[in-house]
Amino acid sequence: MSNRQGCIHTCAIPGEVFQMTDGKLCQVQLLDDRKLELLVQPKLLSYELLDLVSSHFNLKEKEFFGLAFFDDNGQCKWLQMDRRVLEHDFSKKPGAISLNFLVRFYVENITQLKDIITVELFYLNAKSAIYNGVIEVETENVFRLAANALQEAKGDYTSDENTRADLKKLPTLPTKVLKEHPSLAFCEDRVIEYYKQLKGVSRGQAIVQ
């Protein structure tokens, strides 16, 4: 799976799903920042929708993932796999149903995952969760993780100028961390120090780290 951070495409799953007219429009936010748009039929079960989304990645280890949504109270809830999708208590706001494809069940060690696609999706999930403050990480570890994200996306360090430009494009430094330090430049300097140490580290190694 190639890196597509920051690139949002509206995609449709082909087949009979779009031949129905009595369904509800649904947008699924994927972990690589793209969106899937499809029409959910009234009888479609949640596990069938998860199968559709998983097939977009050719994902085999579906058991670790789920589809989540926010209700009108801002609470994050998971689709129950044995229920019909449209039976859930979605927001009453007009428009398409918004779902997020996320890691639901974690593993103690990354080596428990058998497929590289699963590993990459776990990586994207962790990166997003740290950036959005869902997972709190010590500041120095945030800088280390940001360096690994740069190594994964851009390869070896080339210059301070390029790294600062890349950091502004990649979602790696949480707002909370930025507020704890004197300036953005200070945070970038710390990331650059760790980034330089990763010379020669492969993309796969950076993802696992």
Side-chain angles (χ1 to χ4, degrees), residues 175-209:
T175 303
K176 183 173 181 285
V177 170
L178 294 175
K179 289 180 178 179
E180 291 174 352
H181 294 86
S183 65
L184 173 60
F186 173 88
C187 296
E188 292 172 342
D189 288 340
R190 297 297 295 137
V191 174
I192 289 170
E193 285 183 41
Y194 289 115
Y195 187 23
K196 288 178 178 178
Q197 297 170 20
L198 295 175
K199 184 177 181 180
V201 172
S202 70
R203 178 173 179 267
Q205 289 173 314
I207 285 174
V208 171
Q209 288 177 182

Side-chain angles (χ1 to χ4, degrees):
M1 185 175 64
S2 60
N3 182 66
R4 292 178 287 262
Q5 289 297 320
C7 184
I8 299 179
H9 302 287
T10 302
C11 309
I13 296 174
E16 63 178 1
V17 71
F18 263 112
Q19 296 170 13
M20 298 293 184
T21 57
D22 56 348
K24 176 75 174 176
L25 189 64
C26 177
Q27 288 185 339
V28 183
Q29 180 71 52
L30 304 179
L31 286 165
D32 58 3
D33 281 350
R34 292 174 300 159
K35 287 183 180 178
L36 279 177
E37 188 172 280
L38 57 148
L39 200 64
V40 174
Q41 303 166 44
K43 293 183 179 180
L44 188 72
L45 294 170
S46 297
Y47 80 84
E48 293 174 320
L49 178 59
L50 182 61
D51 283 348
L52 280 171
V53 176
S54 298
S55 69
H56 189 74
F57 294 104
N58 196 24
L59 179 64
K60 298 178 179 67
E61 296 177 288
K62 295 175 289 188
E63 63 270 23
F64 297 111
F65 298 88
L67 295 165
F69 66 95
F70 289 94
D71 64 15
D72 282 327
N73 296 318
Q75 296 294 313
C76 183
K77 295 182 177 179
W78 294 97
L79 293 192
Q80 301 304 307
M81 291 295 106
D82 57 347
R83 290 182 62 190
R84 293 178 180 178
V85 175
L86 299 184
E87 289 178 350
H88 290 79
D89 188 23
F90 294 118
S91 171
K92 301 300 188 292
K93 295 177 182 177
I97 296 169
S98 294
L99 295 173
N100 293 278
F101 175 75
L102 299 168
V103 173
R104 185 172 185 180
F105 302 107
Y106 291 85
V107 292
E108 290 185 9
N109 193 304
I110 200 75
T111 58
Q112 293 176 247
L113 303 177
K114 299 174 183 177
D115 194 273
I116 184 62
I117 293 174
T118 314
V119 174
E120 291 201 25
L121 291 173
F122 263 67
Y123 160 73
L124 292 173
N125 192 95
K127 185 168 69 169
S128 173
I130 292 167
Y131 178 71
N132 292 311
V134 177
I135 297 175
E136 290 196 10
V137 181
E138 290 184 5
T139 298
E140 209 60 28
N141 284 333
V142 169
F143 298 148
R144 289 192 182 95
L145 291 167
N148 276 285
L150 283 167
Q151 188 71 15
E152 179 271 327
K154 301 296 179 180
D156 288 346
Y157 165 88
T158 54
S159 70
D160 284 13
E161 183 182 1
N162 287 341
T163 302
R164 292 183 196 281
D166 291 335
L167 277 172
K168 288 177 173 65
K169 298 172 187 174
L170 292 173
T172 54
L173 297 174
T175 303
K176 183 173 181 285
V177 170
L178 294 175
K179 289 180 178 179
E180 291 174 352
H181 294 86
S183 65
L184 173 60
F186 173 88
C187 296
E188 292 172 342
D189 288 340
R190 297 297 295 137
V191 174
I192 289 170
E193 285 183 41
Y194 289 115
Y195 187 23
K196 288 178 178 178
Q197 297 170 20
L198 295 175
K199 184 177 181 180
V201 172
S202 70
R203 178 173 179 267
Q205 289 173 314
I207 285 174
V208 171
Q209 288 177 182

